[in-house]
Amino acid sequence: MLLRGAACAVMPRRMQASSRSIARTNPGFAFVGSASGAIHVVRVEDGRLQEIQRIASRSPAHLAIHPDGKFLLAANAVHEHDGLPQATLETYSLGQRSGCLNLCSRQALSLSATDARHFAITPDGQHVAVAAYAGGLYNVLPIGADGVLGLVTSIRKEVGCGPVTTHQASAHPHTLQFDPSGQYLVGTDFGADRLNVLALIGGKLVRHAHVQLPAGAGPASVVFHPSGSFFYVAHALTGHVFCYQFQASEKRISSTSAPVAVLPVIAPETGTILAMHADGRFLYGSGPNPGFISCYAVDEQSGALAKVEEIRVAGGAIHSLTSTSGYLHIVDRSGSRIHTLKLNRNGAGFAGKSHSFAIEEPMSLALLPATS
Amino acid sequence: MAVIVTRQDARYNTLKKSRNLRWPATEQQSARQIELCDSTDDAVRALQSIIDAGLRPTIRSGGHCYEDFVVNNPDGSILDLSLLADADGPGDRGGYRIRAGQQLGEVYLNLYKRYGVTIPAGSCYTVGAGGHISGGGYGLLSRLHGLTVDWVTEVEILTVDASGRVVPRRVSKSQDPDLFRACRGAGGGNFGVITAYTCDKLPTAPQEVVNAGVSFAWESMTEDRFVEILTTFGHYWETKGGNKETWGLFSLLNLSHSSSPYFGVSAQFCNPDGTCRDLSVLEEFLSLFEALKGTKQSASIPRDSAGADQGSRRERRPGAQAMVPQLWLDATVSGAGGGNSARAKYKSAYMKKNFTTEEAKCIYRHLKRTVPGVDLRGSVLAVDSYGGAINRPELADETCSWQRSSIMKLQYQSYWRRPEDDAGRLQWMREFYDEVYSVAGADTRYARTPFPGERYQGCYINYPDRDMLEHTFWPQLYYGDQGLYPFLQGVKRRYDPNNVFHHAMSIRP
């Protein structure tokens, strides 16, 4: 196994960019998790894309840069590790100039915490909360100053189900998202049709509140508005996007009575993927058809959405969306490509596809913008 | 009301531990709390509160689990059934009701004094009925009366449904028969919280038994004679074990490591009618070993226990004595061990055939072996006689105790006190076991394991061994390769869809 990965730039590969018109300062490095069992490090410089490293990692379903910018975290959506039913979480030290990764630690999650698909890092960077989809658990692990993950400090076992038995026979924690204050986490449970309001207190995960959603909703992707007063949840099994008001002081969630957007069901486990523009004025979502992305204007008072534009970018279901300043990055797993869309000024719609490059079965993406 | 013991409670440090003092492995692995329940209703409430709090429950009856399945429960809650005080005796529909938290010694006393019956279960007094019976329940009377699960007609169990609600169930051949079968031999901690078993009928307890044995000194032992002792033992059970007149004979070839001065063969015997009027079967059996220069003696069966005291109790000292019948209840309860705790490691294997010369030589090598810096006293390979009433093939389909054609059951054991001895002990046993199941002729695909086949019949789930997890086929070692494991996975998905009850070797959903 290629645990430490090939040394940086040992096997550079020019990416198959369809355009060279990428901005000079955006981004510096892209880290792409691939279902083929690797994290690819791609240097983005002067409009050129070049794979500089490929490091072995089992099913890296979610990637994120640590708040201090020195580490990359990866959730491994695996069902077994060391002969036990448990997934793992990895940290990689990140070369600040080279972008190269070195495995820093690989920590087993708790027993039965299988198929880790998402996590959220505390704003202070000291803990990470993980959603183990198949196992139906949340885990919390400490992150050392050196990037080394400690043993699991908190376990929360979820139970529940939904009427869509093919997908909802048991609880499936799907996505975890901190509110902008960093105090609370909203967790969607795809299997149990539930939203959980959680907090990390002394390294322990505490559930403050929960909202039971309509049976068969399949809540999945969640994004907060920068104001923190509302967030959007994609109900993956019905194709609805709902807006939920969030009163942090009361740890309370209330829902709009009707969906703020309706998108057809594309792929239940992937569902509709959401991303929010940094200034909160526009929301992007996969759909209305496979391979399409839609842009919505956000009413910052009510959370209501008004469709601005839709564009076809891929051949199949979108796996992940990441919004950075001026761009939207799209993980197209079935097409084995990463697409980047240039956004119009202020994020209001799409200026066109900037580039697209091939990565075998991509499933996750994290970006480290270039530093000047 | 359940008694909840948390870290601040003076009882916590005692109650967080297993009988196997290796567990919990670290403080961080310890449970957040232990909940001791007074009644089944109490257990329902306690389990529901555990589920609602998002904690992982693990279940303890007697605390004898060999591996870390119960007390390694970081941030979770141990549901302790040892104080369950629901009425004993006849259940609602008659029969004999056995509470999960009862110790086997209590069960024997209660059933005998009230009704004159017994269960053919294990020999350790303090083992809890809940886990023991769920894994099969095997003991000194099993050749005569079968496994304990063969007698169970109803199981009371708390399951957790898909929505997270605790559901008390009484399962039997007519009610949830798939779960009923799974509770009869698949092992504990898989499907729910078993609170009681009911047996419509139970065998009459023997009136008396004779305990006797033959011992051998390691000092004068040779490899050839050792091989002859093992193959004589195996040959007897291979050729005579099926005869009904031998079913009242249980025997243990207790192969202590050579750091002890003696090893030996022990036996407990009664006639099928529960008397000791005719001892010819026992005499013939022991004479085989006297002929091999063994010393006949009166001896009780060493009890399998995590409390062995460095092997001294297991030594068979010479000194011929008459074979005097003893009251069965005295023999069963008075001499039963299991009260002490120690650090321990176990492995197991079922054998369908006699030992080969190569296997016996391999065993000899490892029992004679010394490892610098490792004290191997208290290490033993216990070879139990098997078969008899157990080997009724139709019971393999009724229960999940599928090993119904073996003649011997082997339990590798090592007991010690100091944590610093862990590595040496574990390594010795692993190497011992690996080599025995890698001798010439072993199927290389399944090397280092007694994979079910012509010679072996896998391992006993009540003697679980985490080392087996390194083999992708570990479920087949414990549940065979004839479709039982997929059946159990189906039961798991149906009755525990959220996999609330799980441990390192639980049925995977």
Side-chain angles (χ1 to χ4, degrees), chain A residues 38-325:
Chain A
I39 299 172
H40 303 254
V41 182
V42 179
R43 177 184 289 145
V44 184
E45 192 173 25
D46 295 335
R48 291 168 182 265
L49 301 176
Q50 188 177 44
E51 181 176 336
I52 57 170
Q53 187 188 19
R54 186 181 303 182
I55 190 164
S57 176
R58 293 171 67 202
S59 199
H62 184 62
L63 301 176
I65 308 285
H66 187 271
D68 73 5
K70 295 178 181 171
F71 307 103
L72 176 79
L73 277 74
N76 304 110
V78 297
H79 291 262
E80 191 170 289
H81 171 70
D82 273 351
L84 292 171
Q86 55 191 8
T88 51
L89 194 68
E90 296 169 334
T91 52
Y92 295 86
S93 61
L94 205 165
Q96 294 301 293
R97 289 178 178 275
S98 67
C100 286
L101 301 177
N102 267 304
L103 181 66
C104 190
S105 67
R106 177 177 295 130
Q107 186 59 260
L109 301 186
S110 69
L111 210 54
S112 184
T114 55
D115 196 14
R117 295 194 188 179
H118 204 263
F119 59 80
I121 306 170
T122 54
D124 65 8
Q126 294 184 10
H127 289 91
V128 55
V130 188
Y133 181 88
L137 288 104
Y138 295 112
N139 277 189
V140 176
L141 298 86
I143 309 171
D146 55 359
V148 174
L149 294 164
L151 296 171
V152 172
T153 56
S154 184
I155 300 167
R156 183 175 169 82
K157 172 65 184 165
E158 293 296 307
V159 292
C161 61
V164 185
T165 52
T166 47
H167 297 286
Q168 295 187 302
S170 62
H172 293 308
H174 188 284
T175 301
L176 280 167
Q177 194 76 49
F178 270 102
D179 80 318
S181 78
Q183 276 188 288
Y184 300 104
L185 276 159
V186 168
T188 53
D189 193 318
F190 180 86
D193 291 324
R194 189 184 301 137
L195 298 181
N196 292 308
V197 180
L198 307 156
L200 268 167
I201 300 173
K204 300 287 183 189
L205 196 63
V206 176
R207 187 169 79 172
H208 284 302
H210 69 278
V211 175
Q212 199 63 41
L213 304 183
S221 183
V222 54
V223 288
F224 259 96
H225 187 264
S227 68
S229 58
F230 59 88
F231 59 87
Y232 296 96
V233 176
H235 293 193
L237 292 173
T238 60
H240 297 152
V241 176
F242 273 79
C243 176
Y244 293 88
Q245 305 294 325
F246 182 58
Q247 288 88 44
S249 58
E250 299 172 37
K251 301 154 192 163
R252 202 158 61 88
I253 294 174
S254 55
S255 160
T256 51
S257 56
V260 292
V262 179
L263 297 164
V265 176
I266 297 171
E269 286 198 35
T270 307
T272 301
I273 307 298
L274 302 176
M276 177 69 71
H277 191 267
D279 69 8
R281 292 171 60 193
F282 296 95
L283 178 75
Y284 311 99
S286 56
N289 296 306
F292 278 71
I293 300 290
S294 295
C295 173
Y296 300 89
V298 175
D299 181 322
E300 297 190 63
Q301 295 303 311
S302 67
L305 299 177
K307 193 166 189 177
V308 176
E309 184 184 7
E310 67 184 47
I311 185 172
R312 181 177 185 137
V313 291
I318 303 299
H319 210 76
S320 169
L321 283 179
T322 306
S323 168
T324 57
S325 121

Side-chain angles (χ1 to χ4, degrees), chain B residues 315-330:
Chain B
E315 295 166 9
R316 307 288 90 202
R317 292 191 172 81
Q321 297 175 37
M323 293 194 294
V324 179
Q326 184 184 9
L327 294 173
W328 171 82
L329 188 65
D330 283 353

Side-chain angles (χ1 to χ4, degrees), chain B residues 455-489:
Chain B
R455 296 194 44 73
Y456 308 117
Q457 219 168 7
C459 308
Y460 183 31
I461 193 60
N462 272 359
Y463 302 159
D465 173 14
R466 280 184 58 133
D467 294 348
M468 296 294 104
L469 288 169
E470 72 185 63
H471 306 291
T472 55
F473 51 82
W474 72 264
Q476 283 70 55
L477 294 172
Y478 290 92
Y479 300 107
D481 55 356
Q482 301 297 310
L484 178 57
Y485 191 67
F487 164 79
L488 290 169
Q489 289 181 296

Side-chain angles (χ1 to χ4, degrees), chain B residues 155-168:
Chain B
V155 178
E156 294 168 50
I157 181 171
L158 313 179
T159 58
V160 177
D161 70 13
S163 67
R165 187 173 56 94
V166 174
V167 181

